[in-house]
Amino acid sequence: MTIRKGLPRWLSWLPFGLVPSISPDHLARNPEQYLLIDVRTKLEFNKSHIPGALSIPLHTLTHDLIDKLPADKPVICICLSAHRSKPATRKLIRANYSARELSGGMRAWWKAHLPTESSGGS
């Protein structure tokens, strides 16, 4: 799938359209080969997230933060239902990362009964 890097900025933040994706089952086979970025709120993340995922809420995903991310692994963007992950994935692709979203988000992950963990705090 090809993503146009030249989309207007306002359009790239819309939570619909196509971005590259990965299925929960495929991700669960080898999650350590990816950099997992959960773009939900800290509260959502703390309640339940994929083991090894980093919590970077969508509104905090700035160019400065993106520049500090390791680029040695493909990035998987995760949200609740694959809406917030779309603009995050587009932003990472524009920054020359190999990025995909988790198809169906955490709802699909939970439905497949795949492993999760929780964190303390809020």
Side-chain angles (χ1 to χ4, degrees), residues 6-96:
L7 287 175
R9 185 162 295 215
W10 67 270
L11 183 60
S12 69
W13 280 96
L14 294 175
F16 51 81
L18 298 176
V19 296
S21 64
I22 186 170
S23 72
D25 290 334
H26 186 83
L27 175 59
R29 286 186 212 126
N30 240 345
E32 63 280 347
Q33 75 180 19
Y34 301 101
L35 174 62
L36 307 177
I37 297 178
D38 193 316
V39 299
R40 298 176 298 152
T41 67
K42 290 280 188 190
L43 182 61
E44 290 173 294
F45 179 85
N46 288 342
K47 286 182 180 180
S48 177
H49 58 269
I50 297 171
L54 301 175
S55 175
I56 305 176
L58 181 59
H59 71 280
T60 68
L61 190 61
T62 63
H63 293 290
D64 288 339
L65 191 136
I66 289 171
D67 288 343
K68 295 175 185 172
L69 293 174
D72 60 334
K73 295 180 177 181
V75 179
I76 306 299
C77 296
I78 303 160
C79 71
L80 180 64
S81 60
H83 282 85
R84 287 172 278 184
S85 58
K86 288 183 189 322
T89 301
R90 289 186 191 113
K91 192 167 193 175
L92 288 160
I93 289 170
R94 279 197 318 272
N96 294 315

